[in-house]
PDB file of all heavy atoms in Angstrom:
ATOM      1  N   GLN Z 141      32.628  -7.625  -1.889  1.00  0.00           N
ATOM      2  CA  GLN Z 141      33.963  -8.224  -1.995  1.00  0.00           C
ATOM      3  C   GLN Z 141      33.924  -9.482  -2.860  1.00  0.00           C
ATOM      4  O   GLN Z 141      34.890  -9.790  -3.559  1.00  0.00           O
ATOM      5  CB  GLN Z 141      34.500  -8.594  -0.595  1.00  0.00           C
ATOM      6  CG  GLN Z 141      34.843  -7.399   0.294  1.00  0.00           C
ATOM      7  CD  GLN Z 141      33.616  -6.872   1.030  1.00  0.00           C
ATOM      8  OE1 GLN Z 141      32.894  -7.627   1.656  1.00  0.00           O
ATOM      9  NE2 GLN Z 141      33.371  -5.580   0.940  1.00  0.00           N
ATOM     10  N   VAL Z 142      32.821 -10.207  -2.798  1.00  0.00           N
ATOM     11  CA  VAL Z 142      32.655 -11.446  -3.565  1.00  0.00           C
ATOM     12  C   VAL Z 142      31.330 -11.355  -4.315  1.00  0.00           C
ATOM     13  O   VAL Z 142      30.297 -11.032  -3.731  1.00  0.00           O
ATOM     14  CB  VAL Z 142      32.663 -12.686  -2.640  1.00  0.00           C
ATOM     15  CG1 VAL Z 142      32.392 -13.952  -3.444  1.00  0.00           C
ATOM     16  CG2 VAL Z 142      33.969 -12.784  -1.878  1.00  0.00           C
ATOM     17  N   SER Z 143      31.362 -11.652  -5.609  1.00  0.00           N
ATOM     18  CA  SER Z 143      30.173 -11.518  -6.446  1.00  0.00           C
ATOM     19  C   SER Z 143      29.555 -12.877  -6.744  1.00  0.00           C
ATOM     20  O   SER Z 143      30.257 -13.882  -6.879  1.00  0.00           O
ATOM     21  CB  SER Z 143      30.519 -10.824  -7.768  1.00  0.00           C
ATOM     22  OG  SER Z 143      30.949  -9.504  -7.548  1.00  0.00           O
ATOM     23  N   ARG Z 144      28.233 -12.865  -6.846  1.00  0.00           N
ATOM     24  CA  ARG Z 144      27.507 -14.032  -7.347  1.00  0.00           C
ATOM     25  C   ARG Z 144      27.360 -13.860  -8.853  1.00  0.00           C
ATOM     26  O   ARG Z 144      27.055 -12.757  -9.330  1.00  0.00           O
ATOM     27  CB  ARG Z 144      26.122 -14.124  -6.696  1.00  0.00           C
ATOM     28  CG  ARG Z 144      26.172 -14.423  -5.217  1.00  0.00           C
ATOM     29  CD  ARG Z 144      24.813 -14.156  -4.559  1.00  0.00           C
ATOM     30  NE  ARG Z 144      23.774 -15.021  -5.069  1.00  0.00           N
ATOM     31  CZ  ARG Z 144      23.433 -16.193  -4.552  1.00  0.00           C
ATOM     32  NH1 ARG Z 144      24.104 -16.651  -3.504  1.00  0.00           N
ATOM     33  NH2 ARG Z 144      22.460 -16.905  -5.056  1.00  0.00           N
ATOM     34  N   PRO Z 145      27.540 -14.927  -9.634  1.00  0.00           N
ATOM     35  CA  PRO Z 145      27.439 -14.786 -11.094  1.00  0.00           C
ATOM     36  C   PRO Z 145      25.997 -14.498 -11.517  1.00  0.00           C
ATOM     37  O   PRO Z 145      25.047 -14.914 -10.837  1.00  0.00           O
ATOM     38  CB  PRO Z 145      27.908 -16.145 -11.611  1.00  0.00           C
ATOM     39  CG  PRO Z 145      27.656 -17.095 -10.483  1.00  0.00           C
ATOM     40  CD  PRO Z 145      27.872 -16.307  -9.223  1.00  0.00           C
ATOM     41  N   PRO Z 146      25.821 -13.768 -12.627  1.00  0.00           N
ATOM     42  CA  PRO Z 146      24.459 -13.549 -13.150  1.00  0.00           C
ATOM     43  C   PRO Z 146      23.751 -14.884 -13.372  1.00  0.00           C
ATOM     44  O   PRO Z 146      24.372 -15.857 -13.804  1.00  0.00           O
ATOM     45  CB  PRO Z 146      24.709 -12.813 -14.472  1.00  0.00           C
ATOM     46  CG  PRO Z 146      26.056 -12.172 -14.307  1.00  0.00           C
ATOM     47  CD  PRO Z 146      26.857 -13.130 -13.460  1.00  0.00           C
ATOM     48  N   ASP Z 147      22.464 -14.938 -13.038  1.00  0.00           N
ATOM     49  CA  ASP Z 147      21.737 -16.211 -13.120  1.00  0.00           C
ATOM     50  C   ASP Z 147      20.619 -16.201 -14.152  1.00  0.00           C
ATOM     51  O   ASP Z 147      19.779 -17.100 -14.172  1.00  0.00           O
ATOM     52  CB  ASP Z 147      21.163 -16.573 -11.747  1.00  0.00           C
ATOM     53  CG  ASP Z 147      20.240 -15.484 -11.188  1.00  0.00           C
ATOM     54  OD1 ASP Z 147      19.938 -14.527 -11.927  1.00  0.00           O
ATOM     55  OD2 ASP Z 147      19.835 -15.608 -10.023  1.00  0.00           O
ATOM     56  N   GLY Z 148      20.582 -15.193 -15.001  1.00  0.00           N
ATOM     57  CA  GLY Z 148      19.502 -15.117 -15.983  1.00  0.00           C
ATOM     58  C   GLY Z 148      18.360 -14.245 -15.526  1.00  0.00           C
ATOM     59  O   GLY Z 148      17.581 -13.736 -16.330  1.00  0.00           O
ATOM     60  N   TRP Z 149      18.216 -14.068 -14.184  1.00  0.00           N
ATOM     61  CA  TRP Z 149      17.162 -13.230 -13.616  1.00  0.00           C
ATOM     62  C   TRP Z 149      17.720 -11.901 -13.123  1.00  0.00           C
ATOM     63  O   TRP Z 149      17.001 -10.922 -13.021  1.00  0.00           O
ATOM     64  CB  TRP Z 149      16.466 -13.955 -12.463  1.00  0.00           C
ATOM     65  CG  TRP Z 149      15.745 -15.182 -12.901  1.00  0.00           C
ATOM     66  CD1 TRP Z 149      16.194 -16.463 -12.829  1.00  0.00           C
ATOM     67  CD2 TRP Z 149      14.451 -15.267 -13.499  1.00  0.00           C
ATOM     68  NE1 TRP Z 149      15.266 -17.340 -13.348  1.00  0.00           N
ATOM     69  CE2 TRP Z 149      14.184 -16.632 -13.758  1.00  0.00           C
ATOM     70  CE3 TRP Z 149      13.488 -14.321 -13.843  1.00  0.00           C
ATOM     71  CZ2 TRP Z 149      13.006 -17.059 -14.342  1.00  0.00           C
ATOM     72  CZ3 TRP Z 149      12.306 -14.757 -14.431  1.00  0.00           C
ATOM     73  CH2 TRP Z 149      12.066 -16.112 -14.677  1.00  0.00           C
ATOM     74  N   SER Z 150      18.998 -11.898 -12.769  1.00  0.00           N
ATOM     75  CA  SER Z 150      19.618 -10.686 -12.244  1.00  0.00           C
ATOM     76  C   SER Z 150      20.972 -10.494 -12.903  1.00  0.00           C
ATOM     77  O   SER Z 150      21.585 -11.447 -13.386  1.00  0.00           O
ATOM     78  CB  SER Z 150      19.783 -10.777 -10.725  1.00  0.00           C
ATOM     79  OG  SER Z 150      20.538 -11.921 -10.375  1.00  0.00           O
ATOM     80  N   GLY Z 151      21.454  -9.236 -12.912  1.00  0.00           N
ATOM     81  CA  GLY Z 151      22.724  -8.920 -13.555  1.00  0.00           C
ATOM     82  C   GLY Z 151      23.885  -9.051 -12.596  1.00  0.00           C
ATOM     83  O   GLY Z 151      23.826  -9.748 -11.583  1.00  0.00           O
ATOM     84  N   SER Z 152      24.940  -8.317 -12.910  1.00  0.00           N
ATOM     85  CA  SER Z 152      26.167  -8.421 -12.117  1.00  0.00           C
ATOM     86  C   SER Z 152      26.138  -7.585 -10.843  1.00  0.00           C
ATOM     87  O   SER Z 152      26.933  -7.814  -9.927  1.00  0.00           O
ATOM     88  CB  SER Z 152      27.363  -8.003 -12.977  1.00  0.00           C
ATOM     89  OG  SER Z 152      27.198  -6.671 -13.441  1.00  0.00           O
ATOM     90  N   ASN Z 153      25.225  -6.607 -10.760  1.00  0.00           N
ATOM     91  CA  ASN Z 153      25.129  -5.769  -9.563  1.00  0.00           C
ATOM     92  C   ASN Z 153      24.733  -6.635  -8.370  1.00  0.00           C
ATOM     93  O   ASN Z 153      23.721  -7.348  -8.400  1.00  0.00           O
ATOM     94  CB  ASN Z 153      24.099  -4.664  -9.788  1.00  0.00           C
ATOM     95  CG  ASN Z 153      24.099  -3.623  -8.691  1.00  0.00           C
ATOM     96  OD1 ASN Z 153      24.414  -3.904  -7.530  1.00  0.00           O
ATOM     97  ND2 ASN Z 153      23.731  -2.399  -9.042  1.00  0.00           N
ATOM     98  N   GLN Z 154      25.500  -6.532  -7.287  1.00  0.00           N
ATOM     99  CA  GLN Z 154      25.273  -7.388  -6.121  1.00  0.00           C
ATOM    100  C   GLN Z 154      24.297  -6.797  -5.104  1.00  0.00           C
ATOM    101  O   GLN Z 154      23.887  -7.481  -4.170  1.00  0.00           O
ATOM    102  CB  GLN Z 154      26.610  -7.687  -5.432  1.00  0.00           C
ATOM    103  CG  GLN Z 154      27.611  -8.394  -6.320  1.00  0.00           C
ATOM    104  CD  GLN Z 154      27.107  -9.744  -6.796  1.00  0.00           C
ATOM    105  OE1 GLN Z 154      26.968 -10.683  -6.002  1.00  0.00           O
ATOM    106  NE2 GLN Z 154      26.824  -9.865  -8.088  1.00  0.00           N
ATOM    107  N   VAL Z 155      23.933  -5.527  -5.282  1.00  0.00           N
ATOM    108  CA  VAL Z 155      23.032  -4.894  -4.309  1.00  0.00           C
ATOM    109  C   VAL Z 155      21.679  -5.610  -4.238  1.00  0.00           C
ATOM    110  O   VAL Z 155      21.184  -5.894  -3.138  1.00  0.00           O
ATOM    111  CB  VAL Z 155      22.856  -3.393  -4.629  1.00  0.00           C
ATOM    112  CG1 VAL Z 155      21.781  -2.774  -3.723  1.00  0.00           C
ATOM    113  CG2 VAL Z 155      24.182  -2.661  -4.451  1.00  0.00           C
ATOM    114  N   PRO Z 156      21.013  -5.942  -5.368  1.00  0.00           N
ATOM    115  CA  PRO Z 156      19.746  -6.670  -5.258  1.00  0.00           C
ATOM    116  C   PRO Z 156      19.885  -7.997  -4.514  1.00  0.00           C
ATOM    117  O   PRO Z 156      18.999  -8.381  -3.747  1.00  0.00           O
ATOM    118  CB  PRO Z 156      19.337  -6.885  -6.722  1.00  0.00           C
ATOM    119  CG  PRO Z 156      19.990  -5.759  -7.459  1.00  0.00           C
ATOM    120  CD  PRO Z 156      21.302  -5.571  -6.780  1.00  0.00           C
ATOM    121  N   HIS Z 157      21.008  -8.704  -4.724  1.00  0.00           N
ATOM    122  CA  HIS Z 157      21.230  -9.957  -4.000  1.00  0.00           C
ATOM    123  C   HIS Z 157      21.287  -9.699  -2.495  1.00  0.00           C
ATOM    124  O   HIS Z 157      20.651 -10.404  -1.701  1.00  0.00           O
ATOM    125  CB  HIS Z 157      22.537 -10.617  -4.450  1.00  0.00           C
ATOM    126  CG  HIS Z 157      22.500 -11.201  -5.816  1.00  0.00           C
ATOM    127  ND1 HIS Z 157      21.621 -12.193  -6.181  1.00  0.00           N
ATOM    128  CD2 HIS Z 157      23.242 -10.932  -6.922  1.00  0.00           C
ATOM    129  CE1 HIS Z 157      21.821 -12.518  -7.450  1.00  0.00           C
ATOM    130  NE2 HIS Z 157      22.802 -11.767  -7.921  1.00  0.00           N
ATOM    131  N   MET Z 158      22.070  -8.699  -2.100  1.00  0.00           N
ATOM    132  CA  MET Z 158      22.211  -8.424  -0.674  1.00  0.00           C
ATOM    133  C   MET Z 158      20.886  -7.991  -0.064  1.00  0.00           C
ATOM    134  O   MET Z 158      20.539  -8.409   1.055  1.00  0.00           O
ATOM    135  CB  MET Z 158      23.278  -7.354  -0.458  1.00  0.00           C
ATOM    136  CG  MET Z 158      23.519  -6.994   1.011  1.00  0.00           C
ATOM    137  SD  MET Z 158      24.000  -8.423   2.054  1.00  0.00           S
ATOM    138  CE  MET Z 158      25.713  -8.637   1.539  1.00  0.00           C
ATOM    139  N   LEU Z 159      20.134  -7.162  -0.756  1.00  0.00           N
ATOM    140  CA  LEU Z 159      18.838  -6.731  -0.231  1.00  0.00           C
ATOM    141  C   LEU Z 159      17.889  -7.918  -0.063  1.00  0.00           C
ATOM    142  O   LEU Z 159      17.160  -8.007   0.933  1.00  0.00           O
ATOM    143  CB  LEU Z 159      18.227  -5.681  -1.159  1.00  0.00           C
ATOM    144  CG  LEU Z 159      18.925  -4.315  -1.151  1.00  0.00           C
ATOM    145  CD1 LEU Z 159      18.399  -3.444  -2.296  1.00  0.00           C
ATOM    146  CD2 LEU Z 159      18.733  -3.603   0.192  1.00  0.00           C
ATOM    147  N   GLU Z 160      17.874  -8.822  -1.034  1.00  0.00           N
ATOM    148  CA  GLU Z 160      17.026 -10.015  -0.917  1.00  0.00           C
ATOM    149  C   GLU Z 160      17.443 -10.851   0.292  1.00  0.00           C
ATOM    150  O   GLU Z 160      16.594 -11.346   1.046  1.00  0.00           O
ATOM    151  CB  GLU Z 160      17.122 -10.860  -2.189  1.00  0.00           C
ATOM    152  CG  GLU Z 160      16.475 -10.237  -3.405  1.00  0.00           C
ATOM    153  CD  GLU Z 160      14.966 -10.379  -3.415  1.00  0.00           C
ATOM    154  OE1 GLU Z 160      14.431 -11.150  -2.591  1.00  0.00           O
ATOM    155  OE2 GLU Z 160      14.319  -9.719  -4.248  1.00  0.00           O
TER     156      GLU Z 160
END
Side-chain angles (χ1 to χ4, degrees):
Q141 291 85 50
V142 176
S143 296
R144 293 166 63 92
D147 57 8
W149 296 98
S150 57
S152 59
N153 189 330
Q154 300 299 291
V155 173
H157 288 300
M158 180 58 75
L159 289 169
E160 290 282 348

